Amino acid sequence: MMNVNLYSPNAILVNLDENKVLIDKNSEEVIYPASLTKMMTVLVAIEQIPNLQEEIVLGNNIFNHLYEANASLAGFLPNEKLTLEDLLYGSMLPSGAEASIGLAEYIAGSERKFVNLMNEKAQQLGMENTHFMNTTGLHHTEHYTTVKDMSLLLQYALTNDEFRQVYTAERYSIKPTNRHPEGITFTNKMFQNMTTRALPGGEILGGKTG
């Protein structure tokens, strides 16, 4: 096991080629995932959506409590007409809570029903110490995971081509909409403070802040 000085109290590093854990630091300690939650939201959404170019309108009801909660937002506006693909990138890159709830309501009829799908998926993947209460990662005592469980999620999710494309995108541009006539361009939050993706012997392909 590698010995590395880590700022984070919880970490896991897995070599997927050999299915070998290289670094493990309190990986089974229960933590609050915050916006890392949106990796599960996006995965479940992709698996439920037959046509990513389908258009939906983000209703007013989505926004009010998110403004109050000071949630991380992509910058979409009430009654904006967008594709489901736009919402996937809006959830992952700028970590937009309104995009996550928009996906949930479209797919399952409500965020609560969509969360049931997230918890079912977690069980399927063997995420034994994970339980979701929302699609966004807003704090709730019953909304928790471990970094080990998150690694199981990613290991599975990266085999899905659409998820991998969203997860590894550095930027994504949305075509002009009824509320943004110039369109919108998102940048992956994780890359905003990095000067380079390069690492000794490799590069960082993707990631999610949380």
Side-chain angles (χ1 to χ4, degrees):
M1 197 80 72
M2 295 164 69
N3 188 18
V4 180
N5 251 339
L6 291 174
Y7 174 76
S8 175
N10 307 87
I12 191 166
L13 180 65
V14 185
N15 180 327
L16 294 184
D17 291 333
E18 299 167 14
N19 203 18
K20 186 178 175 186
V21 176
L22 303 178
I23 295 173
D24 185 317
K25 184 180 178 185
N26 304 321
S27 72
E28 296 187 51
E29 184 182 339
V30 171
I31 55 166
Y32 299 117
S35 283
L36 292 180
T37 300
K38 296 182 183 108
M39 295 193 298
M40 179 64 95
T41 304
V42 167
L43 172 67
V44 171
I46 286 169
E47 292 192 337
Q48 297 286 328
I49 296 169
N51 175 18
L52 295 179
Q53 298 314 310
E54 180 103 20
E55 290 188 317
I56 70 163
V57 174
L58 288 184
N60 279 311
N61 62 302
I62 290 174
F63 291 84
N64 294 339
H65 87 278
L66 294 179
Y67 293 146
E68 288 166 16
N70 200 21
S72 172
L73 298 169
F76 296 131
L77 295 170
N79 301 314
E80 188 156 11
K81 191 176 186 182
L82 300 149
T83 68
L84 294 171
E85 185 173 49
D86 293 340
L87 296 182
L88 292 175
Y89 282 92
S91 293
M92 189 74 81
L93 272 59
S95 206
E98 81 277 39
S100 298
I101 294 175
L103 287 167
E105 291 190 351
Y106 171 82
I107 290 163
S110 72
E111 185 179 20
R112 186 176 53 78
K113 288 180 182 172
F114 187 88
V115 168
N116 291 337
L117 299 176
M118 293 168 66
N119 284 320
E120 282 171 22
K121 194 73 196 176
Q123 281 190 321
Q124 283 172 23
L125 297 178
M127 297 168 68
E128 294 174 1
N129 296 304
T130 295
H131 185 260
F132 297 109
M133 291 296 290
N134 56 59
T135 60
T136 59
L138 284 173
H139 182 72
H140 190 291
T141 52
E142 294 297 307
H143 188 94
Y144 56 82
T145 189
T146 66
V147 292
K148 183 179 181 182
D149 280 2
M150 280 285 136
S151 76
L152 293 175
L153 165 61
L154 260 182
Q155 192 166 343
Y156 169 83
L158 288 171
T159 64
N160 180 299
D161 289 342
E162 187 63 43
F163 180 94
R164 191 182 181 94
Q165 202 170 329
V166 177
Y167 184 77
T168 59
E170 195 160 345
R171 62 184 60 245
Y172 175 81
S173 292
I174 286 163
K175 291 172 182 164
T177 74
N178 59 322
R179 298 301 311 268
H180 284 97
E182 304 295 309
I184 320 173
T185 296
F186 297 134
T187 307
N188 188 323
K189 265 189 175 180
M190 197 186 76
F191 293 124
Q192 283 173 7
N193 298 319
M194 289 167 51
T195 49
T196 175
R197 288 183 175 217
L199 292 169
E203 64 174 321
I204 295 171
L205 296 178
K208 175 79 192 76
T209 55

